[in-house]
Amino acid sequence: MTTETSLLAGEETLHHTMQNYHQVLRRRLIWIGVLLLAILASLILDFTLGPAGLSLETLWNTLLSPESVDAGTRVIVWDIRLPYALMALVVGLSLGLAGAEMQTILNNPLASPFTLGVSSAAAFGAALAIIRRGYSRHSRSVVNFCQCLCLCSVCRADAGCRDPLDSGLFGGRGAVRYRAGLHL
């Protein structure tokens, strides 16, 4: 009798836990849907606002059949606004993902690029590229990226089997070195 009651109690607890899990999952899916709609609305606003004053109908026609609209509208949408809007979307998503990854790795909800010195490495790379003057605007971005990648790789290798706090402290020391390099 007691085993049957404990089994029934266990099944009720399992059922209650599954209901809570489905409720949390449903709530998360709703939030994802709301955020996707907000992103879509901001992209549409990005296209329609501006000196050209494109209407939604013109925008829709230009996106679906570019040959049916005049060349000026086609250039505004396909060559100017669409690349910038998509680039902003990809950069924003990438920065959000990088921030979440950094907070997860360091187990610190307040972690930022300044915590490990990544921003200092990028500043050092930019200063180095500007001093060299042989770099174009795009190669400066590559140098900044390489500096950040170098610092992150060294931090990751140094962390090895240690805890994330040691990695953060090492990154802080790296940031001080890069800042010192900026003042040379």
Side-chain angles (χ1 to χ4, degrees):
M1 208 54 150
T2 33
T3 57
E4 287 179 17
T5 2
S6 64
L7 284 176
L8 287 176
E11 287 178 14
E12 287 177 13
T13 306
L14 178 65
H15 180 68
H16 181 68
T17 304
M18 289 301 289
Q19 279 182 333
N20 286 342
Y21 173 74
H22 287 298
Q23 184 179 8
V24 168
L25 187 63
R26 210 174 301 121
R27 197 174 307 139
R28 285 184 183 172
L29 289 175
I30 289 171
W31 271 110
I32 289 172
V34 167
L35 290 174
L36 286 175
L37 287 174
I39 289 171
L40 183 65
S42 68
L43 281 175
I44 291 172
L45 278 175
D46 185 33
F47 279 119
T48 56
L49 296 178
L54 297 174
S55 66
L56 286 176
E57 181 183 348
T58 307
L59 173 65
W60 188 254
N61 288 336
T62 307
L63 289 174
L64 292 181
S65 58
E67 64 278 347
S68 68
V69 295
D70 63 299
T73 306
R74 188 171 43 246
V75 167
I76 288 171
V77 171
W78 282 97
D79 295 340
I80 298 173
R81 292 192 180 175
L82 183 65
Y84 280 109
L86 293 179
M87 180 182 58
L89 180 67
V90 169
V91 167
L93 291 173
S94 300
L95 288 173
L97 182 65
E101 182 69 24
M102 189 172 291
Q103 290 173 350
T104 302
I105 288 173
L106 294 175
N107 199 19
N108 180 357
L110 299 176
S112 70
F114 302 102
T115 306
L116 289 180
V118 175
S119 56
S120 297
F124 181 73
L128 192 64
I130 291 170
I131 289 171
R132 294 279 315 244
R133 291 190 187 157
Y135 295 115
S136 68
R137 181 180 66 165
H138 300 294
S139 63
R140 273 186 241 148
S141 299
V142 171
V143 170
N144 293 353
F145 177 75
C146 290
Q147 288 289 328
C148 292
L149 187 64
C150 176
L151 179 70
C152 289
S153 300
V154 169
C155 286
R156 182 67 186 142
D158 182 62
C161 298
R162 299 181 191 154
D163 67 359
L165 181 62
D166 289 341
S167 178
L169 292 174
F170 179 79
R173 291 191 307 262
V176 169
R177 286 188 200 116
Y178 276 115
R179 285 193 192 122
L182 281 174
H183 296 292
L184 289 179

